[in-house]
Amino acid sequence: MTIIKASPTPALPAPLSETSVIGWMQKNLFSSVFNGLLTIAALYIVYMVVKGMWVWGIADAVWVADSRRECFSINPDGACWAGIFAWVDNIFYGRYPREELWRVNLGILSLFIWMIPLWLPRVKAKISIGLTTVFLYPFLAGYLFSGGDKGIFMQIMLTAAIVCLAGNTIHATIGVFTGRSLPEFLSSLFGKKNVHEKTQRNIFLGIIALSFVSIYVWQMSWSLGGVSWTKWGGLFLTFVVSGIGIASALPLGIILALGRRSKLQVARVLCTSFIELFRSVPLITVLFMATTMFPLFMPEGFVLNRLVQVIIAVCLFNACYMAETVRGGLQTIPRGQFEGAHTVGLGYWQTMGLVIMPQALKHMIPNIVGNFISLLKDTTLVSIIGLFDVLNMLRAIGKDRTWLGLHIEPLVFGALLFFLLCFVMSKYSRHLEEKLSTNQNN
Amino acid sequence: MATWFGTTNLRCKKSEYQGENVVAVSDNNKEYVHIKPKEQFDFFHDKRVRSAFYQFLIAAAVAWFAWSLIGNTAQNLESRGMHTGFGFLKVAAGFDSSFKLISHEPGVGTYGRIFIIGALNTLYISALAIILSTMLGFFIGVLRLSSNWLVSKVALAYVEIFRNTPILIQIIFWYIGVFSLLPRVKNSIDLSFGTGNLLLNNRGFYIPWPIPGDLLWLSGVAIIIAVIAVVILRRWAQNRQDKTGQIFPTFIVSAALLIFLPGIVYFMTGMPLDWDIPKLEGFNFVGGASLPPSFMALLFALTIYHASYTAEMVRAGILSVDKGQDEAARSIGLRKKWAMSLVVIPQAMPAIIPPMISNWMSTIKNSSLAIAIGYPDMVSLFMQTSLNQAGYAVELVGMTMAFYMFVSLTISWLLNIYNKRVQLVER
Amino acid sequence: MKLSTLLTSVVAFALIVAPIAASAGKTLDTVKKRGHLRCQVSTPSGGFYNLDADGNWYGLDIAVCEAVAAAVFGDKNKKEIQVVSTQQRYTALANGGSDLLCSTATWTMSRDTQLGVDFLTPNFYDGQGFTVLKSSGITSALQLKGAKVCVTTGTSSELNLADFSRKNNLNISAVAFEDWNVRDATYLKGGCDAVTVDKSSLAANIISFPNPADHMVLPETISKEPLGPAVRQGDSQWADLVKWTVFAMINAEELGVTSANVDDMRANSKDVNVRRMLGVEGNLHEGLGLSKDWAYNIIKQVGNYGENYEKYIGSGKGALGIQRKGTLNELWTKGGMMYSPPMR
């Protein structure tokens, strides 16, 4: 005998264990006795750690004091953050003269303005903007940060950088608002819409030349006071070293990777041994090599200051890691691309530049960001050589007369600072990875 | 147009296609056609010539660069009165190392001996750090994949925190923030529940050290025999299980072998093992062995930092194994533990090993940061202290870098062999 | 790569690198062109190179730096003080990073001949000693059997400690530190039984301890420590300049010229030695490449050796309190070793 109902049974609501918080907790945290014990142990550990940090770092901490003794007299158990606050300027800017800090801030601001167009959707010619960042921004920043007398070369490059910055900004605003590029816009100003590309380009170049000359004349009238590199320090110096490191490591790394894959035996052997050499030694030995041996390599009388030695060492070291990243990216390009380019008649460099590299770079970007994160962390090693980067500044707090013995709080602050920077960047790189992988539909 | 003489029925055709000469040769009523392209040797466009030329250019440029570097170096060294040569390795070093695994007497021991001390110190702490961080990393990696939400989030917090903080800050923190705060010698922390054997204070960690008696080597031989016996037993038991399906209690028998065989020999030879227990005499502990606080700080920092990377690699490796494997293993009745260890992890190993190789080499390289806290490893002892006392910059830096290169390349070569054996053959 | 690309990159590289590098030439020319003297010290240490609350450097070694600046520029303030750790000070000096090292560096043969630096003449004769806690009951360095002694790495103190331990069979284990502050902090926390360094530094450091009365300096002096400035090897003219600057200060004390009476002496003195030194007669300055007021500027702005000794090391206000009488730092006329060759 079968019982048949004419209408379907209405679906019952989900059981309590699937929907409510208690149900979730039971499934995830207490599903078995062992699991329950684990949860309790984990809860205990978390509670002890968080409570300890809260009590030490916030509840008992001293936020305002004039010296470490005063911190002790207020509350000996808590953290003495007052020392960090007193040294904030040093930690971020080093011993840069306080009245010239606007130059550092201006340099950082101009970098942001320069690079923002890379993220705006309707702006064209992003690659050119990126290239100008790498090649021209260093001159603008270099002069802003160090100042002093300008030689002819510096004047030309500074003018070029300022013209480029202005041009980029105008191009970006035009692109966002009207969707056109700067040359198009300028041509339309002269009433020549939709003309031949060559005319656009000529008008564009003409206006560039005009602005170049006028800005050159303008910048000849002022110069900034010199600030010696010995006063650069803190987070500012960390970013200078790692920024230059990553910016020059990319072109060098591309050359090394191409050399390693090259059919020319000599190039392959040289590049492979160079890459393997720098990848198998610690960064600290490379830095030591830079400070002890580079001066010996220079011809008589040619003196490199310590900052330049360190930057060169960091660039060489990072170029080898970047070369491996590039090699990995190149390996993902199917052979068909190479063969296709060869069929069309492109030579080696044209193939690389027009067909292979644009595709490979897209694959490599998350790894490049990863490289930048580890370079940022590795920059702390320059404190061992004696440069006053962030870590050295933090350790110097404990050696200052007023704050003698304040060792732990600066280290915790430094750890927090790096954690924030690296965590945000690695989240961003993961986001980039997802965005790029969804773009490839194979 | 080429011609061919000497055979009958000669035929010669010239093809218009790209100027190739077609030479038809007939031989004993068989006709066949050779197509021989015209050999035009265009010097400047020949691939081999161009490649040779560019290689020559590159080699010449590099050689010129190297020659000018060497020339400048020689000139600078001479003008500063600094000497070159490896003779300094035979000169006695006037200083001592605060931690050494082999004996060294300042004023008698040479710089060559200092090099060996530095190398041993580096390898010692790197080996310990690698072993401990791998174990800890596997543990945390498995925790990350736990079904318990809280546990996996705690493991995630661990990984994120220690991965995103620079290793140097961690090392200095462990040294200044933890190991310098240990109590004085008179108030040492006793980790051996009051028996006074394991003592921790701000001068180091003191442990008893074995003093081998005369016949201890017999026990050593017994251990080696037991290990070989265990290996043979396992092979035999595995073969037997494959053939007949009978399970042999290998684990219990091997454990018994390993414990009882050397144990019996040890007791029969009269227990020839004495312990040198550290005793407080005068200022310090005499006897036993000790590890300085800088050693422990570096060990803790390296272990915890690299364990966070290992955990990520283990997790990525295990996740790379197809979920179907785990489900199939569970569906034939294997418990979760066996499914993991017999089915999933062996398949995850090929994905875990290559990044592990670079993680281990990274550990060795990061051990050079000992210079920041004063542990006398290769960089601190040989490259910095010796450089200050003796000069010879080029030789010292070169030898240090050669040492690290040698160690890195050896490890990666050995692990690549293991990697090839473990790689799955793709279908 | 096209030839044009290659040429452009070479030219670009040269243009970029050129502004960074200093120009070639001898040290004196480089210093004059730069406009200030670059002196190198280590972490501030009492009496010799210390920082006051306003960030100004003062001390006996700083006085040497100021004297050289006064000799070259006529202004003792045209100097830049760089802090380099003891581990890297000789490399930094030999590679041209600084012009003058004045950080209580001991003049030893191996340093003079092997490290690419030249020592000139000591401006302080010292010896190495030990600091211990009075409560430890140690009264002599020979009682330090099996002790742990804290020392700064890269110094002659490290080597002398090893020699002393070996000679007397004391089995001392050295705990080395890069920074003397960390070294002293470890000693205060009981991480080692004694600290060893030059006795003048010991005296300076004890003053900064929380309870100076708890510590004492052991009587033994275990080594000779002639402390003096150093320059890079290979530039004899610069070495002569620095050497004779120090000698000028010693000579001035010998002749009784002080910063107070130097104007009077220059105008009215009949002593031929004084007149030659202060540039009234003779042309000693030409050999050094300086102006004829070089010694006058030194004494007027910095003072003679005795004045500086008393101000920083002796009985001046805030000085270390090490008596000069009876030590090697007295003038040779009073039984010490401060002796200047004749300035003629």
Side-chain angles (χ1 to χ4, degrees), chain C residues 71 244-245 248 285 288 290-298 343:
Chain C
W244 282 99
T245 304
H285 60 277
L288 292 177
L290 300 172
S291 73
K292 71 174 169 57
D293 289 328
W294 68 281
Y296 167 79
N297 284 329
I298 293 176
M343 292 179 78

Side-chain angles (χ1 to χ4, degrees), chain A residues 263-277:
Chain A
K263 292 199 194 65
L264 303 176
Q265 276 295 80
V266 169
R268 191 199 308 211
V269 163
L270 282 174
C271 289
T272 311
S273 39
F274 186 80
I275 293 176
E276 288 307 317
L277 167 69

Side-chain angles (χ1 to χ4, degrees), chain A residues 296-299, chain B residues 64-77:
Chain A
L296 294 175
F297 291 159
M298 295 289 128
Chain B
W64 172 81
F65 186 65
W67 179 81
S68 66
L69 278 188
I70 295 178
N72 283 338
T73 311
Q75 191 186 22
N76 281 329
L77 284 175

Side-chain angles (χ1 to χ4, degrees), chain A residues 138-170:
Chain A
F139 292 99
L140 178 63
Y143 187 69
L144 273 177
F145 296 154
S146 59
D149 287 327
K150 294 179 256 182
I152 292 285
F153 178 71
M154 194 58 177
Q155 290 186 357
I156 296 178
M157 299 313 279
L158 186 62
T159 321
I162 297 179
V163 167
C164 204
L165 176 60
N168 273 345
T169 325
I170 300 177

Side-chain angles (χ1 to χ4, degrees), chain B residues 406-424:
Chain B
F406 177 71
V407 172
S408 293
L409 292 176
T410 311
I411 291 197
S412 91
W413 173 67
L414 285 173
L415 286 176
N416 270 324
I417 295 180
Y418 178 69
N419 198 18
K420 283 206 177 65
R421 277 182 42 184
V422 159
Q423 287 290 351
L424 294 175

